[in-house]
Amino acid sequence: MNDLNAVDAPAARRPPNKLPRGNDVCWCGSGKKYKKCHEELDTDWLRHEKQHLEASRVRKGKLSPTRPVPAYIPRPDYALTGVPNRENARNVRTPEELVRMRKACLAAEEILREAGALVKPGLTTDAIDAFVHEKTIALGGYPSTLNYRGFPKSLCTSVNEVICHGIPDDRALLDGDIVNLDVTIFLHGMHGDTNATFLVGTVDEDSKQLVRVTHECMMKGIEAVKPGRPISDIGRAIENHANQYGYGVVRSYCGHGIGDVFHTNLQIPHYFDARSNTKMEPGMTFTIEPMICLGSADEVHWNDQWTVATKDLRRTAQFEHTVLVTDSGVEILTQRPA
Ligand code: MF3
Ligand code: CO
Ligand code: CO
């Protein structure tokens, strides 16, 4: 390589997440010291990326008025007060409860699938909320997030750097965005909870890989579900897969036991935590919902009480299923039978 190229060539790729120190060998394979090779280019590259991320960050939009739920729809305990009652929340379901749980979970799957099919540039997240709200009611259900601890809308919509709990508003989706739709329905006295991240129009390769690998992380977590094994197996499988790509795993939000109560006290971390030593039992129902980040999993909280975003403003994706521990392994309840 001649000197001119060495000076003028832009970094061919984004610098790795973990940068070498000045005297260490460069990440590019040149064999040179980092400070004599890519350090300056990387610093420049990262400064430009930061400016770009700041300029294009997701901003808070305007909320539409609260959508009403007809009086004939059965509601969860918190619908009026906003305060859920977790007392006596069990994690193992009776066969009769499972019949109702399956119906709620399949309804959630249907709503999520149809909402996802609407995603395209120009659509506002509020329009997605309107669809999910109406469809949930049409199926005879209550949209579980509505007034759950005061949440104002009928699903969560989390765009780009938003990790979770984004509030649907008047922001129109842009070509190149990624958006997570998190749908929960309360039907036949049970909650079914599922989410997926969708591509809006034409999306860059890094984001597409993030979305694909996040789905793989969820599936690896689900494959780790086996009666008699500790809950910690799930997070171990997820974290191992994310680590292979250098991705961050969100630690503050976990999967959860679910049934007649939206969130029971059972927590499912998406990273390895030896303290999660509760054994999985046939009949248990819980969610697995890893949030995976292109960069650091450090979070910031918007001043709207809900929205959680990455501190570095890099993108993050999530997938969620509600699952049942069976005698031999696992059944995904929020998935159509093959
Ligand atoms: N559906 C989310 C979950 O997976 C919970 C949303 S609660 C809300 O657990 F209040 F933010 F809507
Ligand atoms: Co959940
Ligand atoms: Co959810």
Side-chain angles (χ1 to χ4, degrees):
M1 197 199 283
N2 63 36
D3 273 5
L4 219 150
N5 274 341
V7 172
D8 287 350
R13 42 161 285 197
R14 188 184 189 284
N17 281 350
K18 230 181 148 6
L19 295 174
R21 304 168 60 137
N23 286 322
D24 293 347
V25 61
C26 188
W27 55 262
C28 76
S30 64
K32 293 192 221 164
K33 283 189 177 183
Y34 184 49
K35 65 182 182 191
K36 299 262 177 193
C37 192
H38 271 84
E39 188 170 36
E40 218 178 297
L41 284 168
D42 286 359
T43 307
D44 235 49
W45 204 103
L46 291 170
R47 190 175 51 240
H48 280 103
E49 184 192 54
K50 195 163 176 225
Q51 280 171 5
H52 167 75
L53 290 172
E54 288 285 348
S56 61
R57 69 195 297 164
V58 177
R59 284 157 211 281
K60 187 157 64 169
K62 286 200 176 55
L63 300 205
S64 62
T66 305
R67 297 196 153 85
V69 177
Y72 64 83
I73 296 287
R75 292 154 200 261
D77 60 12
Y78 55 80
L80 280 180
T81 61
V83 184
N85 178 7
R86 281 195 193 194
E87 274 170 47
N88 304 321
R90 291 165 309 110
N91 290 301
V92 178
R93 310 287 151 232
T94 66
E96 181 277 326
E97 284 178 313
L98 271 179
V99 171
R100 292 185 283 122
M101 188 85 193
R102 284 178 199 287
K103 290 181 185 167
C105 287
L106 286 178
E109 184 278 334
E110 184 179 340
I111 299 163
L112 175 63
R113 176 163 36 85
E114 292 186 5
L118 300 177
V119 166
K120 63 165 188 213
L123 187 72
T124 66
T125 49
D126 185 64
I128 302 171
D129 181 70
F131 172 81
V132 166
H133 185 85
E134 293 310 324
K135 173 91 191 178
T136 301
I137 290 166
L139 291 171
Y142 178 93
S144 304
T145 63
L146 188 60
N147 205 31
Y148 180 77
R149 301 187 183 278
F151 191 84
K153 292 289 166 190
S154 298
L155 84 158
C156 301
T157 54
S158 302
V159 175
N160 298 345
E161 73 269 20
V162 176
I163 295 172
C164 64
H165 301 167
I167 303 173
D169 63 19
D170 66 350
R171 182 188 184 282
L173 295 171
L174 300 174
D175 187 57
D177 281 350
I178 60 173
V179 61
N180 178 277
L181 307 182
D182 191 345
V183 169
T184 318
I185 185 172
F186 181 72
L187 182 64
H188 305 302
M190 293 294 186
H191 296 272
D193 189 6
T194 182
N195 77 47
T197 301
F198 298 91
L199 308 179
V200 185
T202 310
V203 171
D204 69 88
E205 288 301 321
D206 283 0
S207 300
K208 283 201 282 197
Q209 178 178 278
L210 171 72
V211 171
R212 176 176 60 78
V213 172
T214 303
H215 185 262
E216 289 167 5
C217 283
M218 173 185 68
M219 293 312 295
K220 294 206 182 269
I222 292 172
E223 283 159 22
V225 173
K226 286 191 179 63
R229 296 295 307 170
I231 292 287
S232 59
D233 278 11
I234 299 168
R236 190 204 315 264
I238 293 168
E239 189 172 39
N240 280 344
H241 193 58
N243 283 348
Q244 285 184 33
Y245 294 84
Y247 291 163
V249 177
V250 171
R251 301 175 75 88
S252 321
Y253 298 88
C254 296
H256 49 92
I258 183 168
D260 55 332
V261 168
F262 191 173
H263 297 97
T264 76
N265 289 323
L266 178 66
Q267 298 232 48
I268 319 290
H270 303 114
Y271 54 91
F272 177 71
D273 185 341
R275 293 167 300 179
S276 300
N277 55 6
T278 303
K279 296 267 194 311
M280 297 183 243
E281 270 182 68
M284 270 186 178
T285 51
F286 51 77
T287 72
I288 298 178
E289 47 180 303
M291 286 143 271
I292 306 295
C293 307
L294 274 182
S296 159
D298 289 354
E299 311 155 5
V300 291
H301 292 249
W302 288 13
N303 67 359
D304 63 2
Q305 312 290 319
W306 284 103
T307 309
V308 184
T310 59
K311 192 172 162 199
D312 63 14
L313 296 179
R314 295 187 68 200
R315 288 180 172 193
T316 171
Q318 183 182 24
F319 284 86
E320 173 176 32
H321 272 310
T322 298
V323 305
L324 164 70
V325 184
T326 64
D327 292 327
S328 57
V330 66
E331 186 183 324
I332 301 176
L333 297 178
T334 42
Q335 180 169 277
R336 281 191 293 181

